[in-house]
């Protein structure tokens, strides 16, 4: 049974930082070939893909977070990270990690096979 578990969300003031983690359980050798992504969804808005990392740890970012967020992964720990700096109130959302083999930054969320339950990030002004 594959399971993704996010952690690290919370409340922070604008300009602050948070680091999200996504631990993957039940993924064996196939994990190394998967692409892992971070999505976020604010109330009343569609789920937005903001960052993705491929099996060679090459990252891609949405324009909304480029230069402020960094996606990375630790294969030894089966864990995906999202370092978020210079946070803005508009970054407030529930953040989800997702995984699949053949996805790109613009791939719709419904094409990802595995999802975590999400973690809430709230940025106050």
């Amino acid at each position: 049974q594959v399971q993704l578990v996010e952690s690290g969300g919370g409340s922070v003031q604008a300009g602050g930082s948070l680091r999200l983690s996504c631990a993957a359980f039940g993924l064996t050798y196939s994990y190394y070939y998967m692409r892992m992504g971070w999505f976020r969804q604010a109330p009343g808005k569609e789920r937005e893909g903001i960052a993705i990392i491929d099996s060679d740890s090459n990252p891609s970012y949405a324009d909304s977070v480029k230069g402020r967020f960094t996606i990375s992964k630790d294969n030894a720990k089966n864990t995906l990270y999202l370092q978020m700096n210079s946070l803005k109130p508009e970054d407030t959302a529930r953040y989800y990690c997702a995984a699949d083999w053949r996805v790109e930054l613009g791939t719709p969320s419904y094409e990802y096979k595995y999802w975590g339950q999400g973690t809430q990030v709230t940025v106050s002004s």
Side-chain angles (χ1 to χ4, degrees):
Q1 182 71 20
V2 175
Q3 188 177 13
L4 302 178
V5 180
E6 301 96 335
S7 62
S11 297
V12 65
Q13 288 191 328
S17 298
L18 284 173
R19 188 176 82 153
L20 306 183
S21 299
C22 171
F25 301 94
L27 296 173
T28 56
Y29 68 92
S30 62
Y31 172 82
Y32 299 97
Y33 302 98
M34 297 187 88
R35 296 183 171 190
M36 306 286 293
W38 285 100
F39 284 76
R40 67 185 181 186
Q41 188 166 21
K45 294 188 176 181
E46 293 186 357
R47 193 166 293 192
E48 171 192 19
I50 58 173
I52 189 170
I53 190 166
D54 67 14
S55 58
D56 294 323
S57 294
N58 296 306
S60 296
Y61 300 97
D63 288 343
S64 57
V65 305
K66 195 176 296 182
R68 300 187 298 123
F69 292 8
T70 302
I71 188 172
S72 62
K73 62 177 182 173
D74 184 333
N75 287 336
K77 296 181 179 179
N78 279 6
T79 300
L80 176 74
Y81 302 100
L82 185 69
Q83 178 66 44
M84 306 186 295
N85 298 328
S86 302
L87 283 161
K88 305 174 182 180
E90 51 263 45
D91 294 319
T92 295
R94 190 162 185 87
Y95 284 70
Y96 300 86
C97 66
D100 207 307
W101 288 274
R102 298 189 187 93
V103 290
E104 305 289 343
L105 182 63
T107 300
S109 59
Y110 58 78
E111 294 195 16
Y112 281 75
K113 183 172 183 178
Y114 301 112
W115 286 89
Q117 81 290 349
T119 185
Q120 179 66 34
V121 171
T122 302
V123 184
S124 58
S125 58

